[in-house]
Amino acid sequence: MARIISSYLFKRGILMHLRFLKLLNKFSSFEKSVDKLPNIINHGRLVGINGLILEVIGLQIPIGTQCYIERIIDKKYIHAEVVGFLEKKTLLLSSEEIYGVIPGARVFLKISDNTTNSIIKKMPLGMKLLGRVLDGRGEPLDGLPQLDSKYYTIIKNNKINPWNRKPITEVLDTGIRSINGLLTIGRGQKIGIFSTSGLGKSVLLGMMAKYTKADIIIIALIGERGREVKNFIEKILGKQGLSRSVVIAAPVDVSPLLRIQAASYATSIAEYFSKKNKHVLLIMDSLTRYAMAEREISLSLGELPITKGYAASIFSKISNLIERVGISDEYKGSITAFYTVLTEDEDEQDPVSYLARSVLDGHIILSRYYADLGHYPAIDIESSISRVMPDIISLKHNHQASYFKKIVSSYHRNKDLINVGAYISGSDVVLDHAIKIWPKIEKFLQQEISEQSDFHISYERLKEIFL
């Protein structure tokens, strides 16, 4: 009897031990599941959608906070950002398509990387960005692996104290003869390229990206057609150009929030490299598309439009973006920026064009007249100007460039008389000189895509015209 009881207790003990191990395994599995849960500290409910704006209640958080909206159909989350408030509602703007979202969907605030500040934005920065094509969030578009989390850092929009800005004293060689010789650009300058469609703007930007003597090239393609992004990289920029470049692309079909973030992110990357004592060339195509994205958001938030649908806030937002560029006493690096501005048949009432002219250090105008003649780059030398040019070139060079513009202007004003033979030689000394050297002028202004002309060669060619 004692043996039977002992055997029973032994088996009972083994069974209990096995049950304990099974329970322990379940607990361990549960613990791992808990560890995988997002670090959620709060959540609200989606109660309405008004155009681009998502209305949420129960979530009182600062503007700029990153949020995640649950989507029931595929168990995924949609990225969004707080952009405003309306009474007790928090207003969000999604950076993705919002299909599949239902009324009452939970909206989470997530603390990433165990930080205590939920509104700190971390995005990739570093030398590993070179040769990469990314979107406005720093996510890869080139099919290559995502950057390691160790390269993610806090993104801050820096401002340069006006007192700490260095004067522009060095010439930036763009490799384009007409710009080097007649519209000389300085390191740290901000230039606008004004153009309507079909005038060779993308080709001109590609030439600048390939030939400009800069350490790093940052290219922001904002609101362009998706086809143009790959075409620009493969056919215009090329592998050699891409190797020293970072491309941030936000095509026209993405959220306006992503287009705005892409422009700001590209500028932040330029700031990062300039602080590493690199000379950076920032090309943003286009400033107009950035402004349009800001217009979409401002109108959705209920701001009153003042002209062409733009709210008054657009003036400060464009100015704030542009003023982040330049040279500071704190670093040896620099940021030179080219912003393209889309014009509507030279419409002077366009607020973006008007503002850009006033806050930039010069403008390059592309002409339909030259483009129709097959004259590339189609730069209208008469209407274009570099405001820092007189400060960075010799007095002789400045006089020659001014005289060049003078004879070009004289020739165009009297072109009809010349063509019909009504002009009498000797009536105008400047025009006589223009007619005599006009073939040289046209040859100087035109340049093949594959041709590079550095600053010194460009100036020598300019001098040769007047010999």
Side-chain angles (χ1 to χ4, degrees):
M1 187 69 179
R3 184 180 297 175
I4 294 174
I5 293 173
S6 177
S7 176
Y8 171 78
L9 291 175
F10 178 74
K11 291 179 180 179
R12 179 81 174 177
I14 292 176
L15 183 62
M16 291 178 66
H17 181 69
L18 291 174
R19 287 178 178 175
F20 176 75
L21 289 176
K22 188 175 181 180
L23 181 63
L24 191 62
N25 287 334
K26 285 184 177 180
F27 180 78
S28 178
S29 177
F30 175 76
E31 189 177 26
K32 289 178 180 179
S33 299
V34 170
D35 289 339
K36 291 180 180 179
L37 289 175
N39 216 356
I40 304 298
I41 63 168
N42 197 2
H43 80 271
R45 294 283 181 178
L46 181 66
V47 295
I49 298 177
N50 183 11
L52 300 174
I53 300 300
L54 309 176
E55 299 178 351
V56 177
I57 60 171
L59 199 63
Q60 297 181 355
I61 47 180
I63 289 177
T65 305
Q66 302 296 300
C67 297
Y68 302 86
I69 306 169
E70 66 176 353
R71 186 162 58 194
I72 302 299
I73 58 174
D74 54 7
K75 305 298 182 182
K76 292 184 178 180
Y77 293 92
I78 297 173
H79 293 263
E81 182 176 312
V82 178
V83 293
F85 308 101
L86 179 63
E87 296 178 350
K88 294 184 178 181
K89 297 177 182 177
T90 302
L91 306 180
L92 276 63
L93 187 66
S94 171
S95 59
E96 305 172 47
E97 292 289 341
I98 57 173
Y99 70 91
V101 173
I102 63 172
R106 291 180 297 176
V107 181
F108 297 106
L109 168 65
K110 181 180 178 182
I111 299 179
S112 59
D113 300 326
N114 296 320
T115 58
T116 57
N117 192 339
S118 60
I119 66 172
I120 292 179
K121 293 183 182 179
K122 286 194 172 185
M123 301 180 77
L125 287 177
M127 297 300 292
K128 289 290 184 180
L129 293 179
L130 292 177
R132 297 302 302 269
V133 182
L134 309 171
D135 68 7
R137 292 197 300 261
E139 301 292 331
L141 295 175
D142 50 13
L144 298 176
Q146 187 169 357
L147 291 159
D148 193 281
S149 59
K150 66 181 180 181
Y151 298 112
Y152 279 68
T153 186
I154 297 171
I155 297 291
K156 295 181 179 179
N157 295 339
N158 298 315
K159 289 186 177 181
I160 303 177
N161 187 326
W163 186 255
N164 294 333
R165 283 187 181 271
K166 283 184 180 179
I168 298 173
T169 57
E170 295 182 44
V171 171
L172 178 70
D173 187 350
T174 63
I176 300 172
R177 187 164 47 247
S178 55
I179 296 177
N180 282 341
L182 305 171
L183 303 167
T184 310
I185 307 299
R187 288 195 186 278
Q189 189 172 350
K190 304 181 286 286
I191 290 287
I193 300 177
F194 293 74
S195 171
T196 57
S197 60
L199 303 187
K201 168 176 57 69
S202 297
V203 175
L204 180 62
L205 294 178
M207 292 174 69
M208 289 178 176
K210 286 193 291 185
Y211 301 143
T212 298
K213 291 185 179 178
D215 300 321
I216 306 291
I217 313 293
I218 310 298
I219 302 170
L221 302 175
I222 311 298
E224 298 298 315
R225 292 183 289 272
R227 174 188 60 80
E228 289 185 337
V229 174
K230 191 172 184 179
N231 182 72
F232 181 88
I233 294 169
E234 293 184 348
K235 294 185 178 180
I236 299 178
L237 186 60
K239 290 184 178 180
Q240 185 177 357
L242 183 60
S243 64
R244 62 169 183 156
S245 304
V246 183
V247 179
I248 306 299
V252 68
D253 61 338
V254 304
S255 162
L257 179 62
L258 268 184
R259 279 176 265 157
I260 293 170
Q261 287 180 348
S264 181
Y265 180 38
T267 307
S268 296
I269 297 173
E271 290 171 335
Y272 168 83
F273 282 111
S274 71
K275 291 177 183 178
K276 299 296 181 182
N277 301 326
K278 301 291 185 182
H279 294 298
V280 182
L281 174 65
L282 171 63
I283 297 174
M284 187 171 295
D285 185 18
S286 68
L287 189 66
T288 304
R289 304 293 188 199
Y290 166 82
M292 288 179 175
E294 290 282 11
R295 179 172 63 183
E296 287 185 59
I297 295 177
S298 62
L299 292 179
S300 297
L301 289 171
E303 288 190 60
L304 294 177
I306 55 173
T307 176
K308 292 288 181 99
Y310 290 100
S313 60
I314 192 64
F315 296 100
S316 61
K317 288 175 180 176
I318 290 179
S319 299
N320 290 340
L321 180 70
I322 291 175
E323 281 299 301
R324 292 166 60 184
V325 172
I327 315 175
S328 173
D329 287 334
E330 300 177 23
Y331 314 105
K332 294 181 180 179
S334 64
I335 305 174
T336 307
F338 287 90
Y339 299 93
T340 64
V341 180
L342 304 177
T343 56
E344 300 177 4
D345 296 323
E346 302 178 357
D347 184 2
E348 296 294 335
Q349 300 302 315
D350 178 28
V352 178
S353 176
Y354 177 80
L355 176 62
R357 285 175 184 267
S358 64
V359 298
L360 294 172
D361 300 322
H363 47 267
I364 297 173
I365 309 295
L366 299 188
S367 166
R368 175 72 62 185
Y369 170 77
Y370 284 115
D372 290 342
L373 291 176
H375 177 126
Y376 290 101
I379 298 175
D380 184 352
I381 295 299
E382 298 174 72
S383 303
S384 304
I385 189 172
S386 170
R387 291 193 176 102
V388 304
M389 181 177 174
D391 300 327
I392 59 176
I393 60 173
S394 66
L395 187 62
K396 183 178 180 181
H397 183 176
N398 192 43
H399 286 327
Q400 289 170 330
S402 299
Y403 183 66
F404 187 102
K405 289 186 176 184
K406 183 177 181 179
I407 60 178
V408 168
S409 178
S410 177
Y411 185 88
H412 282 304
R413 286 199 309 268
N414 297 278
K415 189 173 183 179
D416 292 338
L417 292 176
I418 297 169
N419 289 338
V420 300
Y423 173 72
I424 300 174
S425 180
S427 303
D428 187 331
V429 176
V430 174
L431 183 55
D432 289 340
H433 193 197
I435 295 171
K436 180 181 177 181
I437 65 173
W438 190 251
K440 291 183 179 180
I441 291 175
E442 287 190 311
K443 189 175 181 180
F444 179 85
L445 293 176
Q446 296 183 61
Q447 184 173 335
E448 296 292 333
I449 300 173
S450 58
E451 181 186 356
Q452 180 178 0
S453 179
D454 66 29
F455 176 74
H456 296 292
I457 293 176
S458 300
Y459 181 45
E460 290 299 321
R461 290 284 300 276
L462 178 63
K463 290 192 293 185
E464 289 172 3
I465 293 176
F466 302 112
L467 294 178

